[in-house]
Amino acid sequence: GPLAVVRGPLHPVGGDARLVLLDTAEDQLADRQQLLALVADLTRYNALSPEDIQRELAATTQALNRERNDANRVRLAVLYTMTHSPQDDLRALQLLDNVARSGGSPNAIKQLAAVLQAQIAERSRAVRDEAARANEAAQKLEALRQMERSLLRDRVRSGGGGAGGGTGGGGH
C-alpha cells in the first residue's frame, strides 16, 4: 500500500500502519525559537523589581491559561521562585513536575526544567533545614532564659543575692 507522511503523533491512516514520521527542519527551528525565547525571558526576569515580578507573574499566568505548554510552565515556575516564598517554591516545583510528566520526547526545555527542579528542591531543603536550626536555637535560648529566671527567683526567696549571707563585715 501507499505510505502516508504525517507531522506529529502517529495515527493509522485507513488501517495502514505503515507511516513515516518526519521531524522536519521547521519543527526543529520552532523548538529552537521557543527555547531561545524562554531563555531570553528568564534572563530578563533577573533585572525585574519585586513589583515587576508580580506583574509578570500575572501576565505569565494568563499566558499559561491561554496556551498550556512547557515553556510557559517553566517561565511561571522561575517567576514563582523569585518571590522568595516557600509556598511559591512549592508551586514552582509542581509546575516543573508537570513539565517532566508532559508528553512528547525529551527536549531542551524538559532538560532545563529538570535542572531547575533539582535546584529549587535543594534550596527548599536548605531553607527548611535552616528554619529547623533556628527553631532549635530559639528553644535552647528560651530554656536558658527560663533557667535564669528560676535561679533569680531562688536567690530572691533565699534572702538576697550577695555572697556571705548579707552579714556585713564591720565590728567596731
Side-chain angles (χ1 to χ4, degrees), residues 23-40 71 75 107-109:
D23 189 8
T24 66
E26 291 171 0
D27 290 338
Q28 291 175 356
L29 181 60
D31 287 349
R32 277 194 210 118
Q33 287 174 335
Q34 190 177 37
L35 178 64
L36 289 173
L38 172 62
V39 171
R75 281 182 182 92
N107 60 32
I109 291 175

Side-chain angles (χ1 to χ4, degrees), residues 63-84:
L64 180 61
N65 288 335
R66 281 191 312 272
E67 188 177 352
R68 294 206 166 274
N69 62 41
D70 289 344
N72 283 340
R73 287 182 186 98
V74 171
R75 281 182 182 92
L76 190 56
V78 168
L79 286 165
Y80 274 137
T81 67
M82 297 177 81
T83 67
H84 304 293

Side-chain angles (χ1 to χ4, degrees), residues 5 8 18 28-29 33 40 50 53 55 60 77 81 88 91 95 101 105 130 141 144 146 153 170:
V5 178
R18 292 179 293 164
Q28 291 175 356
L29 181 60
Q33 287 174 335
I53 289 170
R55 277 192 288 279
T60 305
T81 67
D88 283 344
R91 288 183 183 108
L95 283 164
R101 294 172 188 244
S105 60
E130 184 60 32
L141 180 59
L144 287 171
Q146 188 66 29
R153 276 194 302 272

